[in-house]
Amino acid sequence: MPGIAFDTAHLLSGGLLLVSFMMIYQDRMFSLLRIFALHAVVLSLSVAWQAYIQGAPHLYVTAAIALIFKAIIIPSALRRIVVQLGIHREVETVVGIGVTMLAGIGLSALSIVLMLDVTQGADPYAREDLAFALSVVLLGLLMMVTRRNAVSQIVGFMSLENGMILAAAGAKGMPLVVEISVAFSVMVAFIVIGVFLFRIRERFDSVDVSVMDQHRGDQR
Amino acid sequence: MILQLFVQGIQMLLVVALAPLLVGIVRRVKARLTRHRGAPLIQPYRDILRLMRKEVVLAENASWLFRVTPYMVFAGTWVAAALVPTFSTGLQFSWTADLIAIVALLGSARFFLALAGMDVGTSFGGIGSSREMMIATLAEPAMLLTVFSLALVAGSTQLSHVSAYLASPEVGLRVTLGMGLIALVIVALAENARIPVDNPSTHLELTMVHEAMVLEYSGRHLAMIELASALKLLLYVSLIGCIFFPWGIAQPGDGLARHGLALLLYVAKLAVAGTLLALFETSIAKMRVFRVPNFIGTALMLALLGALLLFVTRSV
């Protein structure tokens, strides 16, 4: 049985999964953004721990990128957007929180069973990192599906991306170039989404995406 | 053998003797935090003594169930509290101290209380019973699931085993235990009618749950019920203490001096727990009744997630 190093890695990536569930549970916009920042902090801790175990200094860069961009810049930018656009401070969900949580538990059980089966014989760190990463990704997708508000959908997207970074950190030998380019593409995606938010707001007076359905020609 | 019997006897007396003190500590710290003077620590003892001396007022249509229930509730809770290792795991009846048995004892106590709430037929008793049952149907599965994930870690549902295993260094760093702790704290808050779920010090009609159920009781019956609810709080605190903070609990082979030290440590743990509870209660607002399912659902989810994570560690 691996010792304290494995336990710490397990603790941190399990904590990331837990914070994902906290995001699904949240029903206030500002606390959602705070928890998203916490998600990024836990992610960067987890990646830094992987860097320490694997002796891979470039992973520290990934951790720093995660910390600076996702824990500080993106949440504060989203907060400014929410304030400027005067978006509802409450998160509107499509189905109830309880149902969403149950679906989330089901998804994470599924991904853990699947990943542990698929990666038999691999390095234990990579195995459990991959299992948790897939659940974090699926939970991010679940969040994007079950939220009506565009801002919380963005948060879901960003947490999905956090899950992918976790998977990348667990797999040994991921080159730095790939990670930096991923980080920057997410940054670009964020900017594009931000611009779109303003556009959506201008055209439809709301960031509730269900309002857009009425403007589609093929409906009703 | 003699020592075990002795320790068991001490424990039975100790839980009853300390339970009102814990309530006193919580009330006192809460009062101090809101800048009141607060009643002295022994006020709950005085309240219970006063209620004992007062006469019982019974409704005309109260059945035998209404009169029997306070003693049933008290007995069930007392037995359960006497089984939880407080300062020593070497209890005479520690082989019966199964977590599932304790949940069952508390469940039957609550069953009788809910029946008695509806017995007289007033609307408050009925609404109190129905709400209490709603909370219980959510809290009990969460509790059992937490018990199961703990049992998976420790390899037993017997409390003295669990406590001894978790005190040993082979446990390591387990995220499951953290989740179990939070889940158990949420369940304890819900079961003891503490603030985010119910307010123990209110008689405001719309918000009360537990108090509404026992509204018809008076005199020595009420004293029994108050003592039972204080015991229940002590039970949950000791349960959390012996599972998650098992340091300093005397083991079966230890001598008398060690037991004395463990006893002092246990009282210190109670004081810390009471202070933390008061701190938590003053810093949070009571929830709407319809938000309670979400709150307790979190405990259920945490316990489930804990079991899942344990599964990952085991199979990696």
Side-chain angles (χ1 to χ4, degrees):
Chain A
M1 195 63 201
I4 192 89
F6 179 77
D7 279 347
T8 309
H10 183 75
L11 183 76
L12 287 173
S13 40
L16 196 67
L17 186 57
L18 183 65
V19 178
S20 279
F21 274 105
M22 278 163 70
M23 283 207 280
I24 290 182
Y25 177 72
Q26 228 12 275
D27 58 355
R28 298 279 157 91
M29 186 62 78
F30 281 147
S31 11
L32 181 67
L33 293 180
R34 260 195 296 272
I35 290 179
F36 172 63
L38 178 69
H39 199 260
V41 169
V42 176
L43 173 77
S44 71
L45 281 178
S46 179
V47 173
W49 185 252
Q50 287 287 345
Y52 173 69
I53 299 170
Q54 298 179 7
H58 67 270
L59 279 181
Y60 285 118
V61 180
T62 313
I65 290 175
L67 190 66
I68 293 168
F69 279 102
K70 309 192 107 175
I72 300 166
I73 294 180
I74 291 182
S76 47
L78 277 176
R79 176 179 293 254
R80 271 193 56 203
I81 289 178
V82 170
V83 172
Q84 275 183 2
L85 296 186
I87 295 170
H88 271 299
R89 298 293 163 81
E90 278 171 17
V91 175
E92 294 120 345
T93 50
V94 177
V95 286
I97 282 179
V99 180
T100 319
M101 295 278 248
L102 276 183
I105 291 273
L107 280 179
S108 46
L110 185 75
S111 61
I112 284 173
V113 169
L114 180 74
M115 269 302 172
L116 290 181
D117 238 19
V118 168
T119 58
Q120 262 170 12
D123 172 45
Y125 292 106
R127 281 187 78 188
E128 59 97 40
D129 254 11
L130 281 176
F132 286 132
L134 185 62
S135 359
V136 171
V137 167
L138 287 181
L139 286 180
L141 279 175
L142 181 71
M143 195 166 155
M144 289 175 75
V145 172
T146 55
R147 296 296 148 93
R148 290 225 179 90
N149 192 313
V151 174
S152 38
Q153 288 180 351
I154 294 176
V155 172
F157 173 71
M158 295 286 159
S159 74
L160 180 156
E161 206 272 333
N162 282 355
M164 299 211 282
I165 291 184
L166 182 70
K172 271 184 192 165
M174 172 73 86
L176 182 62
V177 186
V178 177
E179 274 160 29
I180 289 183
S181 65
V182 166
F184 273 100
S185 60
V186 167
M187 208 51 210
V188 170
F190 175 70
I191 293 168
V192 171
I193 291 170
V195 171
F196 262 104
L197 266 186
F198 279 100
R199 299 281 303 176
I200 292 172
R201 162 81 181 178
E202 260 172 35
R203 266 191 95 85
F204 304 109
D205 291 333
S206 167
V207 285
D208 188 336
V209 288
S210 60
V211 174
M212 275 186 266
D213 289 345
Q214 298 164 6
H215 292 268
R216 257 167 44 184
D218 54 11
Q219 272 233 329
R220 271 164 290 228
Chain B
M1 182 66 191
I2 296 294
L3 184 69
Q4 280 188 355
L5 212 57
F6 179 65
V7 166
Q8 181 74 65
I10 294 265
Q11 155 122 357
M12 291 207 77
L13 296 178
L14 185 78
V15 285
V16 176
L18 284 182
L21 181 69
L22 180 61
V23 174
I25 292 174
V26 175
R27 284 190 193 154
R28 174 86 176 180
V29 176
K30 261 174 95 168
R32 295 314 290 248
L33 283 174
T34 47
R35 304 202 127 196
H36 297 155
R37 256 243 316 289
L41 287 180
I42 56 165
Q43 188 61 40
Y45 295 98
R46 286 184 190 155
D47 286 347
I48 287 169
L49 275 183
R50 189 199 63 211
L51 286 173
M52 285 287 196
R53 281 200 294 266
K54 284 196 167 185
E55 68 170 326
V56 174
V57 181
L58 274 180
E60 274 173 15
N61 52 351
S63 69
W64 60 272
L65 190 73
F66 189 76
R67 270 169 286 142
V68 170
T69 294
Y71 304 105
M72 299 282 270
V73 171
F74 177 70
T77 320
W78 193 14
V79 171
L83 291 179
V84 177
T86 51
F87 66 98
S88 167
T89 53
L91 300 170
Q92 177 65 33
F93 295 110
S94 69
W95 53 276
T96 55
D98 195 276
L99 270 167
I100 298 171
I102 287 172
V103 173
L105 276 170
L106 290 178
S108 55
R110 183 174 35 232
F111 170 71
F112 280 107
L113 202 56
L115 276 189
M118 295 187 289
D119 187 62
V120 181
T122 57
S123 51
F124 276 140
I127 198 172
S129 294
S130 84
R131 285 184 180 171
E132 175 93 355
M133 277 340 231
M134 180 196 82
I135 293 173
T137 46
L138 296 161
E140 220 156 84
M143 174 84 183
L144 279 177
L145 214 56
T146 317
V147 167
F148 289 146
S149 62
L150 284 175
L152 278 176
V153 173
S156 165
T157 51
Q158 200 177 317
L159 263 175
S160 51
H161 278 193
V162 173
S163 176
Y165 177 80
L166 290 181
S168 67
E170 59 190 293
V171 182
L173 204 58
R174 291 246 178 284
V175 68
T176 307
L177 289 181
M179 290 177 177
L181 174 62
I182 300 174
L184 203 56
V185 167
I186 291 176
V187 170
L189 288 173
E191 292 258 348
N192 285 298
R194 303 312 297 193
I195 258 186
V197 177
D198 184 11
N199 193 341
S201 58
T202 185
H203 278 279
L204 194 70
E205 295 135 17
L206 287 176
T207 57
M208 54 189 185
V209 180
H210 183 80
E211 292 294 326
M213 204 166 41
V214 301
L215 203 60
E216 296 296 322
Y217 277 110
S218 58
R220 56 176 188 276
H221 292 161
L222 186 59
M224 280 292 123
I225 285 179
E226 296 266 300
L227 196 55
S229 61
L231 260 178
K232 199 169 169 188
L233 182 64
L234 183 96
L235 184 152
Y236 272 96
V237 168
S238 325
L239 194 66
I240 291 170
C242 87
I243 294 174
F244 296 102
F245 306 97
W247 305 290
I249 290 182
Q251 298 299 322
D254 291 336
L256 266 183
R258 188 78 182 64
H259 276 89
L261 198 67
L263 194 72
L264 285 181
L265 199 68
Y266 172 65
V267 176
K269 275 183 200 169
L270 278 190
V272 171
T275 314
L276 285 180
L277 177 62
L279 209 67
F280 179 75
E281 283 198 304
T282 39
S283 59
I284 201 164
K286 191 191 162 303
M287 280 177 187
R288 291 172 59 209
V289 176
F290 297 111
R291 263 187 71 81
V292 169
N294 278 346
F295 180 65
I296 306 177
T298 316
L300 192 72
M301 187 211 75
L302 277 173
L304 209 60
L305 204 58
L308 265 181
L309 294 192
L310 202 66
F311 178 64
V312 174
T313 349
R314 284 286 155 81
S315 54
V316 159

